[in-house]
Amino acid sequence: IKKNVIPHYLLNVLTLATVLGVFVLADLFAHESGLLAVVVMGMVMGNINLPNLKELLYFKESLSVLLISILFILLAANINVEDLMLVYDIKALILFATVVLIVRPLGVFVSSIGSSLKFNEKLFISWVGPRGIVAAGIASLFGIELSNQGVPGAEYITPLVFMIVLGTVLLNATTARLFAQLVGVFLKNSQGILIIGASTISRLIGSYLKKNNRHVVLVDSNGTNIKKAQELGLDAIQENVYSDDLINNIELSDIGYLMAMTGNTEVNLNAIEKFRKHFGENGSFRVVSSDEMYDPENNPKEGLFSQTDDYIKLTNLARKYPSIHEIELNSKEHYEGLIEISKTDSDIIPLFVKDEEGELSIIPSNSLEVEIEEGFMMVYLG
């Protein structure tokens, strides 16, 4: 795959054939070793910087949904109503409660030791975490095998597991939203910020936003910029903005603001047009072009920070004064006065307004539209 020996249209087919081949070959060497072999194969593929890995991932996800759905139907077809009646008593209910309220939470909390997950997030995962198909598959296989060999109590294995799978699926599916609100992990509004471009100025602004408790994600096709952003502890994705992969990225689920900050006006315009619906529900902005900067009458409604400062001015100032400052505002007039000063002083570029609770609002190029109250702060570069 790395040497482009395989035609692109055969990539998914060849990968699937290889997985099946590894599975069968491993099973020839040692019985039941095929599953372990393909799991290891997946771990290796995920860690060797394989090109087109996302395409393979999407193909795998489609296959997984299809095959798991079929497998559930096939496994359920092996269960008779009479089998389920075997576990129709209070003991099965106690077992179900033990699994849901003790065993699964214990597994989640132990396995997430050292992770960045918060207590309420662990509780939510404990409630709706993955369950079902592996347990059902193994129980069906071993339950039938042990029953055929006359092992006492083996007839309870499969119906018990199916009772727990069915119960947890129904319980979690119907209560997930309510439980998310109850433990405080429900996303009420999208306050995350997506920055297109991971250059010096983007990294500087991204670091400031992160320090002020805003989720910020930088996207750039330049691997060096992405690496530098990640070294600063920022979430950064190496991706072409013309690609559709960003729209399906789960890491961007809480993004509500879009800031296009590349040195290419066409890329910025395309990013605004393409991602406004998905990531800019609360606001979509881009740095002004050099033509717009010199034409006071051409102030775009999605202009970012200032009409008198394009990408070059932002970058040069970030290199000259690589720090972001705050100044307290006394009134709307005070804010407007500072904005007027910034238009003539090339060493000042306004970025955000911070309210008394620490919430940040992006200053647009039409900067006089921002709501200001006494005690607010103006955040500026320079």
Side-chain angles (χ1 to χ4, degrees):
I1 293 175
K2 283 188 172 182
K3 294 181 179 179
N4 294 317
V5 175
I6 305 158
H8 190 267
Y9 70 96
L10 288 178
L11 195 63
N12 291 338
V13 178
L14 186 95
T15 305
L16 178 59
T18 307
V19 171
L20 295 174
V22 168
F23 181 87
V24 173
L25 188 62
D27 251 20
L28 289 174
F29 285 121
H31 185 55
E32 300 293 357
S33 65
L35 181 60
L36 177 62
V38 294
V39 167
V40 173
M41 178 183 173
M43 292 168 65
V44 172
M45 287 179 66
N47 286 279
I48 57 174
N49 296 321
L50 198 67
N52 309 109
L53 187 63
K54 282 196 173 180
E55 291 180 45
L56 293 174
L57 182 64
Y58 293 146
F59 176 63
K60 189 273 299 181
E61 288 295 331
S62 300
L63 276 181
S64 296
V65 172
L66 179 64
L67 294 174
I68 288 173
S69 302
I70 293 171
L71 188 56
F72 261 122
I73 294 169
L74 291 174
L75 292 174
N78 286 325
I79 299 291
N80 298 317
V81 175
E82 292 79 13
D83 295 331
L84 290 176
M85 294 305 292
L86 289 172
V87 295
Y88 186 66
D89 61 22
I90 191 66
K91 291 180 182 178
L93 189 61
I94 293 171
L95 176 64
F96 175 76
T98 303
V99 169
V100 171
L101 301 176
I102 299 175
V103 177
R104 192 194 296 167
L106 189 63
V108 170
F109 275 82
V110 170
S111 62
S112 58
I113 291 173
S115 73
S116 59
L117 292 170
K118 299 174 184 175
F119 180 76
N120 60 340
E121 292 169 341
K122 292 178 183 179
L123 279 180
F124 182 71
I125 294 170
S126 300
W127 189 250
V128 300
R131 95 295 293 166
I133 194 61
V134 175
I138 297 298
S140 181
L141 175 65
F142 281 86
I144 293 169
E145 286 287 329
L146 294 173
S147 294
N148 291 339
Q149 293 177 27
V151 176
E155 69 274 12
Y156 292 103
I157 295 176
T158 304
L160 270 176
V161 171
F162 268 84
M163 179 271 295
I164 290 172
V165 170
L166 182 63
T168 52
V169 168
L170 290 175
L171 178 67
N172 301 148
T174 53
T175 61
R177 185 183 183 92
L178 180 64
F179 194 78
Q181 293 172 331
L182 189 66
V183 298
V185 297
F186 191 76
L187 185 65
K188 295 179 181 177
N189 53 6
S190 303
Q191 291 296 316
I193 299 175
L194 177 65
I195 300 178
I196 306 296
S199 62
T200 304
I201 178 62
S202 297
R203 297 195 298 270
L204 185 61
I205 291 173
S207 297
Y208 175 82
L209 290 169
K210 185 181 178 183
K211 287 177 184 175
N212 283 269
N213 303 314
R214 293 294 285 270
H215 179 215
V216 57
V217 180
L218 280 65
V219 175
D220 202 316
S221 58
N222 186 311
T224 303
N225 284 343
I226 292 298
K227 187 177 179 181
K228 288 179 179 179
Q230 290 172 341
E231 287 172 353
L232 292 172
L234 297 169
D235 289 342
I237 302 171
Q238 186 173 353
E239 191 65 75
N240 191 315
V241 293
Y242 292 98
S243 166
D244 291 326
D245 290 346
L246 280 176
I247 295 171
N248 302 315
N249 195 315
I250 193 68
E251 295 176 25
L252 306 179
S253 59
D254 68 336
I255 298 296
Y257 292 90
L258 175 65
M259 293 165 56
M261 296 180 59
T262 75
N264 188 316
T265 303
E266 290 300 318
V267 170
N268 294 336
L269 287 168
N270 179 267
I272 291 286
E273 185 66 29
K274 187 171 185 177
F275 300 124
R276 188 195 302 269
K277 284 187 193 175
H278 301 280
F279 306 125
E281 60 183 84
N282 297 327
S284 301
F285 307 93
R286 64 174 176 86
V287 291
V288 297
S289 67
S290 55
D291 292 335
E292 291 165 339
M293 184 176 67
Y294 293 115
D295 183 2
E297 299 300 319
N298 188 15
N299 190 356
K301 60 181 181 180
E302 71 272 13
L304 181 63
F305 302 144
S306 163
Q307 194 191 2
T308 55
D309 299 290
D310 62 355
Y311 174 81
I312 295 173
K313 279 195 170 186
L314 278 163
T315 302
N316 289 339
L317 189 57
R319 286 172 180 163
K320 187 177 179 182
Y321 300 106
S323 55
I324 292 176
H325 308 281
E326 299 174 356
I327 183 171
E328 188 170 349
L329 300 171
N330 301 324
S331 62
K332 176 85 173 191
E333 291 72 24
H334 183 202
Y335 167 76
E336 291 173 355
L338 291 174
I339 290 294
E340 290 303 315
I341 291 172
S342 71
K343 289 179 181 178
T344 56
D345 190 333
S346 59
D347 284 347
I348 301 172
I349 298 177
L351 303 176
F352 308 103
V353 168
K354 182 194 281 191
D355 67 17
E356 292 175 317
E357 295 179 356
E359 290 295 319
L360 293 167
S361 300
I362 299 169
I363 295 179
S365 59
N366 194 348
S367 48
L368 298 182
E369 295 180 354
V370 180
E371 292 293 325
I372 301 295
E373 294 181 17
E374 186 179 352
F376 280 23
M377 312 280 282
M378 189 178 85
V379 181
Y380 65 94
L381 172 72

